[in-house]
């Protein structure tokens, strides 16, 4: 499951090791950013592994495993089977490594099998936004709207779609989308800020940290 992610991390680290000694200016800053990202990712992986290993050890110490138990047959996976696809796992890794084009390639494979996967559609939408392809991101978010039952999530999607239209200077459409978002969730702060951006025809749009945190 993790081999592909670590292969990419090793490839990126080798690039840093090879190029950094002679790199200057923008290239040197780019390599430093990649190093810092790998360092954070490595720390996160290690922290999660230590927590898991401690829980595993605690279970072993307090459980009698000497008796041979009959292994139960695994129950069929009924919820979000796409989460176990190699393409999904690789796509997540590419997104965390900021390799958005490769992330897109992987999640395209996922939606070929599971076209109504909310998680895959959200990864695709955000990756396309990072690549500056707002209209393609819009199509994936629009597909999600028909599938979403949770009101708060639907409000966040409307807000994100409003940001796309505002970035395209289609302010009337954007304002309507921000208002829809507020109707669904009046406590969501971003649409109010974004409505003001539309009114002023300038300012920083807010997609919403809660939406990004779902990735």
């Amino acid at each position: 499951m993790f081999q592909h992610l670590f292969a990419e991390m090793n490839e990126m680290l080798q690039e840093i090791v090879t190029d950094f000694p002679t790199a200057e200016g923008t290239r040197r800053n780019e390599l430093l950013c990649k190093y810092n990202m790998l360092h954070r990712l490595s720390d996160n992986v290690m922290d999660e592994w230590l927590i898991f290993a401690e829980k595993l050890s605690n279970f072993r110490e307090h459980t009698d495993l000497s008796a041979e138990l009959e292994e139960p047959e695994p129950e069929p996976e009924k919820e979000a089977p796409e989460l176990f696809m190699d393409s999904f796992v690789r796509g997540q890794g590419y997104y965390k490594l900021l390799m958005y084009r490769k992330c897109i390639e992987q999640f395209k494979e996922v939606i070929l099998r599971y076209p109504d996967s909310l998680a895959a559609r959200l990864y695709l939408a955000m990756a396309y936004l990072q690549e500056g392809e707002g209209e393609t991101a819009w199509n994936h978010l629009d597909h999600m709207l028909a599938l979403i039952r949770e009101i708060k999530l639907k409000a966040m999607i409307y807000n994100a779609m409003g940001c796309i239209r505002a970035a395209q200077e289609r302010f009337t459409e954007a304002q309507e989308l921000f208002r829809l978002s507020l109707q669904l969730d009046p406590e969501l702060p971003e649409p109010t800020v974004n409505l003001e951006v539309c009114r002023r025809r300038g300012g920083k749009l807010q997609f919403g940290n809660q939406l990004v945190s779902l990735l």
Side-chain angles (χ1 to χ4, degrees), residues 63-83:
T63 307
D64 181 10
L65 298 177
S66 59
E68 184 176 348
L69 300 176
E70 182 179 352
E71 184 176 351
E73 293 185 6
E75 295 183 3
E77 182 63 40
K78 296 180 180 180
E79 188 174 354
E82 67 271 25
L83 300 180

Side-chain angles (χ1 to χ4, degrees), residues 105-117:
E105 292 173 2
Q106 296 300 318
F107 281 108
K108 278 183 174 180
E109 294 183 14
V110 176
I111 64 169
L112 281 176
R113 289 187 60 186
Y114 300 98
D116 291 341
S117 169

Side-chain angles (χ1 to χ4, degrees), residues 129-157:
L129 282 174
Q130 294 289 350
E131 289 291 299
E133 300 181 35
E135 199 61 34
T136 307
W138 168 283
N139 292 335
H140 289 290
L141 293 171
D142 188 51
H143 187 99
M144 292 175 66
L145 279 177
L147 307 172
I148 295 172
R149 297 180 181 178
E150 185 184 353
I151 291 177
K152 189 174 186 66
L153 177 56
K154 184 168 285 192
M156 289 190 285
I157 296 299

